[in-house]
Amino acid sequence: MPTATPVLGLRERNRLRRTRRVERAALALALEYGVDDVTVDMICEASDISPRTYFNYFGTKEGALIGPAPSAPDEVLIEEFVQARGSIVEDLMLLIARGFFATEPDRDVFAMRRELYTKEPSLQALQVTRMADKRQATAALVRRRLADQFPDMPETEASDEAQLVMSVAMGAFPVISRLWIEQSGDEAEVETYIHAAIARIRRIVTP
Amino acid sequence: MPTATPVLGLRERNRLRRTRRVERAALALALEYGVDDVTVDMICEASDISPRTYFNYFGTKEGALIGPAPSAPDEVLIEEFVQARGSIVEDLMLLIARGFFATEPDRDVFAMRRELYTKEPSLQALQVTRMADKRQATAALVRRRLADQFPDMPETEASDEAQLVMSVAMGAFPVISRLWIEQSGDEAEVETYIHAAIARIRRIVTP
DNA sequence: TCAATTCTTGCAGTTACTGCACTTTTGCGT
DNA sequence: ACGCAAAAGTGCAGTAACTGCAAGAATTGA
């Protein structure tokens, strides 16, 4: 029986294998010695790869630890988001969460990453930093939705509101993903967690 | 007429003067060339200080750009926060904002910082990273308040809720401070901005 | 004015990261 | 099966952020 996924060339397979090998090594070292006491050279020696190639793959020392950035959502999902009419923050979180699932990680790597994240919360800050790069793109999405939903809202107000929507969503995201990762890790349930979190936010901003 | 503030020793005055001189130089350079194209050596040459001392003062290259971390709130303010009964996120933001004002910045430096922040939003991410260091301390405060307000709330739920409160507050903070900095910069008004932002958050998490 | 303390600085070293040129590997047409 | 073009891996040299240490300078308090 042929695989459902398109057959990958030797090139891709090598790249995947290598990526996993390096991620595993990096995570194991970071778990043993702590992120700050691990050097790129150590990772490279443990995973038999040259430092130059390491940076080609991951860009930064922490790249292998925090995992790939969530992929950009495709047009269909975006359109769905623009036309949805739930809480805008909730809808945005669902959109981001789906992008996160587009890149299915290795089982071991996933578990190690979970352990490391709880051990060194500073890595969460790095996630946020990386997300920050996508701020503008995401803000544009939110503005599209606002324009669609409230055609009469003045430009500047929409811009401010978009910023706020994004900030709240990105601020709460680490908490939600931590909860979800610690408790189940099952894709289906992420929507439940998001929904519960939104309800909670509603409560804590109400006197 | 003697000054109201306690007289500073020569040591303190030198340190203050130096700090301002370096901050000014760093900001001017960053505004002219962009943060990434400025080196610590350039800043040191422009402000006539040794690189070693620069790091003693500011710790990181960006330290002189983003300004001092908000000082830890004193016991009185903390007690006030624990016993307040407004929206918990709003009360927390007010607490943080007051800590921010405890260190009064130089007028010029303030203006340059404002300009740089709008020019290079990546600096905001740095602020967040630095705030992340204080996450635990802040979370403890929030938990104190929750324990005071809801004595029956179970441990784990309180912990999750504290995380969420902090994340939302810290997420929204950059937006608010940007609005406030761009429009007035007057201390009195910051409460108004915070209040308005909270109202807005309430709206965007409601379907 | 002198001794104790604190601060600044130079130096040497480590580590993250980058551009460039060179070799190896892979994909593919014949 | 073979060889060529494209892509990927690697070594090297260099830059820049940051740190510990110890010596020298400034400040303080008696």
Side-chain angles (χ1 to χ4, degrees), chain A residues 109-120:
Chain A
V109 171
F110 188 83
M112 294 172 93
R113 206 164 268 152
R114 162 178 24 184
E115 197 185 337
L116 186 61
Y117 268 71
T118 63
K119 217 177 237 174
E120 308 220 17

Side-chain angles (χ1 to χ4, degrees), chain B residues 68-71 98-106:
Chain B
S71 52
R98 283 188 192 124
F100 184 74
F101 279 113
T103 62
E104 55 184 298
D106 185 55

Side-chain angles (χ1 to χ4, degrees), chain B residues 22-84:
Chain B
V22 177
E23 282 178 341
R24 246 190 272 259
L27 285 164
L29 285 169
L31 281 169
E32 186 173 358
Y33 301 106
V35 174
D36 286 347
D37 288 335
V38 174
T39 70
V40 172
D41 284 354
M42 286 165 71
I43 298 172
C44 291
E45 216 159 303
S47 55
D48 196 36
I49 198 182
S50 88
R52 194 60 186 82
T53 305
Y54 178 91
F55 282 109
N56 281 344
Y57 271 63
F58 302 104
T60 69
K61 169 185 166 182
E62 293 86 358
L65 300 177
I66 60 180
S71 52
D74 61 34
E75 258 313 314
V76 179
L77 289 180
I78 290 178
E79 210 42 52
E80 233 177 280
F81 164 72
V82 170
Q83 273 158 21

